[in-house]
Amino acid sequence: MAIGTAAEIGKSDPIVTRLAAQDTKRWYQKPNLLYLYLMLFPTCMGIELTSGFDSQMINALQIVDHWKTFMGQPQGALKGIIAAAYSLGAILSLPFIPIVNDRFGRRWSIFGGSLVMIIGALIQGFSQHVGMYIVARMILGFGIPTCIVSGSSLIGELAYPKERPIMTSLFNVAYFVGQIVAAAICFGTNGIKSDWSWRIPSLLQICPSLLQVVFVFFLPESPRWLITKDRGQEARDILQKYHSEGDRGDEFVTAEFAQMTTTIQLEVESSQRSWTDLFKTAGMRRRVLITTMLGLFTQWSGNTLISYYLGDLLKLIGYTDSTYIQKINVSIACWSLVCAFTVSMLVTRIRRRVMYLMCTISLLCCYIAWTISMERAQTAATAFKNGTGQPNQAANIATLFFIYAYSPCYNMGYNALTYTYMVEVWPYAERSRGIAYFQLFGRLAGFFTTFVNPIGLDSVGWKYLISYCCWLAYEVVFVYFFFPETFGRTLEELAFMFEDKHLADQAVLAVKKVMGEDVDGHGGSQDEKRPAATLKETV
């Protein structure tokens, strides 16, 4: 048996999950829940628009003559640092994210991070030299992780349990919407014969952050955050408004609130609310290991090559026309959106480990085939350039095919499940730090690969892809042995999955008490049928 399944000793009885499953009313038939989900899209879902916009914009601007002239014809290290500055800024902000989240809540964190990105986009669009442009990109990067950590957590903590996996999976889908918008804008401004060909897209990066600033306070605050601030009645009122519209709604909210309150109390009692908590126990250290590797996997699986350096890849095999490359950019972004959305709709049907294994194995196969076709295509393109051969059109078409084939493989796990999985793996008390830790390794990996990719492609061409093949083989092994299964449970039912099961059982007992059941699930005494508001006294 895989270690990933053998060590999950603290999963509790999924009593609240069963209650949610009994609700046959669809989310669009619930007015308050429908409103909540509609508000989540321009605010939390819209956060990753900025990241997608940024990657595609830098990708597209590298073939704009006025941008290249303004930046001093960047190559190698300079080109790498221009693209990687976004990740560098994100890394610098990470130590502050849990402090801001815990003190001010999810909504104010999104608001503050969005303001920082608005400032960065303005400076970027009005940059006077390459140094100012790099600093502006660092400011943009400084704001995005706060929004990502807060937004992904808020989606998971507000959504009804039946829709939560889909909602958190859709969080990353907005990345590709941002890519499409950026690709279309850059395609439209490509013909402008001035610096406005790149200044207009740079300034328009402000738009997703403006959406978040305008709409974020139309959302309720996280009930779990309110509970930690001794504002339990407010938390219960939010749950009552948005989660009680279905079948057996009041009963569900009573059980959900009891489970939530007990679990958070048990977590907070053993937490010092500091970074040291991440390494204090064997269960926490295992979460850190999984989070570290997932952060690396999301950036070291070859995706940054396509996201930031598609133009360089196509030039290696003989495609140099900027209009043609822009069209490929737009089509890949559209195709990626279709793939990401389709996979996100499957997260309630396919188990997490299965999806991750399908993702890593298919990525490895895709990259091996891509490397082979890239070698044939580049060898023929070099021979043609030297006047000693002809382009290998079959290899060129195969290379393009595998670039397109990469998208469904990657989206199967590293896009659709990334934040769904992080929200499920980390209990509430450490969720902000856990996702910030994920961001740290994701951003470090992104900075490294974004900086190194152009150097590697310039130096060794197609051979650079071999390094990704080796790493992807490691990913398959790690996912098989270490990734736990989190499918089909509420966040509280997963809170102690690596810890002692008696902690999980305490939360189950609290739920059964407020539902009028004894520990065996039978009718309880009248004393046990007390309201959830008195739960804290019973623990």
Side-chain angles (χ1 to χ4, degrees), residues 364-438:
L364 176 58
C365 295
C366 183
Y367 241 91
I368 290 172
W370 180 10
T371 302
I372 295 169
S373 65
M374 188 80 172
E375 184 274 330
R376 293 287 84 200
Q378 187 181 357
T379 300
T382 302
F384 177 72
K385 186 177 180 180
N386 295 334
T388 58
Q390 293 295 321
N392 188 333
Q393 284 302 116
N396 287 348
I397 293 171
T399 298
L400 281 175
F401 172 82
F402 290 117
I403 289 174
Y404 280 92
Y406 179 90
S407 181
C409 301
Y410 181 87
N411 283 301
M412 202 179 303
Y414 295 143
N415 182 276
L417 288 183
T418 296
Y419 290 101
T420 299
Y421 204 58
M422 285 292 92
V423 169
E424 291 173 346
V425 164
W426 287 98
Y428 174 82
E430 311 302 338
R431 187 165 293 139
S432 293
R433 290 176 182 81
I435 299 178
Y437 194 84
F438 164 79

Side-chain angles (χ1 to χ4, degrees), residues 108-120:
W108 277 106
S109 298
I110 294 172
F111 184 84
S114 298
L115 284 181
V116 172
M117 287 190 285
I118 288 171
I119 294 170

Side-chain angles (χ1 to χ4, degrees), residues 216-229:
V216 70
F217 290 107
F218 286 91
L219 283 175
E221 184 52 87
S222 164
R224 291 164 175 86
W225 182 80
L226 292 171
I227 289 171
T228 64
K229 300 301 179 183

Side-chain angles (χ1 to χ4, degrees), residues 11-16 18 259 489 493 501 508 512:
K11 287 183 179 178
S12 69
D13 179 16
I15 185 170
V16 175
R18 288 198 298 271
Q259 184 188 65
R489 290 172 183 264
E493 289 161 0
K501 195 172 186 302
V508 173
K512 289 184 174 181

Side-chain angles (χ1 to χ4, degrees), residues 482-520:
F482 288 99
F483 272 35
E485 184 57 70
T486 59
F487 179 83
R489 290 172 183 264
T490 68
L491 301 183
E492 280 68 38
E493 289 161 0
L494 294 166
F496 305 112
M497 65 177 168
F498 297 141
E499 280 78 28
D500 242 333
K501 195 172 186 302
H502 82 274
L503 294 172
D505 290 340
Q506 287 186 51
V508 173
L509 179 60
V511 173
K512 289 184 174 181
K513 282 186 175 182
V514 298
M515 292 179 65
E517 299 178 2
D518 62 21
V519 293
D520 297 319

Side-chain angles (χ1 to χ4, degrees), residues 50 54 86 110-128 131-144 147 199 201-213:
T50 301
D54 185 83
Y86 188 78
I110 294 172
F111 184 84
S114 298
L115 284 181
V116 172
M117 287 190 285
I118 288 171
I119 294 170
L122 289 172
I123 296 174
Q124 178 179 250
F126 292 113
S127 293
Q128 299 303 303
M132 188 174 177
Y133 192 83
I134 291 172
V135 170
R137 290 184 50 70
M138 289 179 64
I139 295 172
L140 272 163
F142 192 90
I144 190 68
C147 294
R199 289 189 187 277
S202 298
L203 286 170
L204 288 177
Q205 196 167 352
I206 199 175
C207 293
S209 299
L210 286 175
L211 282 175
Q212 286 131 42
V213 167

Side-chain angles (χ1 to χ4, degrees), residues 222-395:
S222 164
R224 291 164 175 86
W225 182 80
L226 292 171
I227 289 171
T228 64
K229 300 301 179 183
D230 294 323
R231 295 161 63 180
Q233 188 57 51
E234 292 178 57
R236 179 159 187 151
D237 290 344
I238 290 171
L239 294 174
Q240 191 71 36
K241 181 175 181 179
Y242 296 104
H243 288 189
S244 68
E245 298 174 286
D247 303 328
R248 302 175 67 183
D250 290 339
E251 180 183 15
F252 174 79
V253 168
T254 299
E256 183 184 34
F257 183 72
Q259 184 188 65
M260 203 177 287
T261 307
T262 307
T263 303
I264 290 175
Q265 182 178 344
L266 291 170
E267 291 177 27
V268 171
E269 283 176 354
S270 61
S271 172
Q272 297 175 356
R273 311 307 289 272
S274 73
W275 287 99
T276 59
D277 289 334
L278 302 190
F279 306 93
K280 191 165 60 174
T281 66
M284 284 298 174
R285 289 192 291 273
R286 186 172 175 206
R287 290 183 177 93
V288 166
L289 176 62
I290 293 166
T291 300
T292 300
M293 289 298 108
L294 188 56
L296 297 179
F297 294 169
T298 57
Q299 299 299 320
W300 282 2
S301 298
N303 50 308
T304 52
L305 268 177
I306 300 173
S307 297
Y308 285 91
Y309 301 110
L310 178 63
D312 290 348
L313 288 169
L314 295 180
K315 287 174 183 176
L316 285 175
I317 59 176
Y319 295 109
T320 57
D321 180 66
S322 62
T323 301
Y324 179 79
I325 295 174
Q326 292 279 26
K327 289 178 179 178
I328 295 294
N329 261 337
V330 175
S331 64
I332 288 178
C334 293
W335 169 237
S336 297
L337 174 62
V338 172
C339 295
F341 180 80
T342 302
V343 172
S344 294
M345 294 297 103
L346 299 175
V347 295
T348 57
R349 300 175 181 273
I350 305 175
R351 303 181 76 84
R352 309 286 187 255
R353 277 170 47 82
V354 172
M355 289 186 75
Y356 271 123
L357 284 170
M358 290 168 61
C359 169
T360 51
I361 293 170
S362 61
L363 280 176
L364 176 58
C365 295
C366 183
Y367 241 91
I368 290 172
W370 180 10
T371 302
I372 295 169
S373 65
M374 188 80 172
E375 184 274 330
R376 293 287 84 200
Q378 187 181 357
T379 300
T382 302
F384 177 72
K385 186 177 180 180
N386 295 334
T388 58
Q390 293 295 321
N392 188 333
Q393 284 302 116

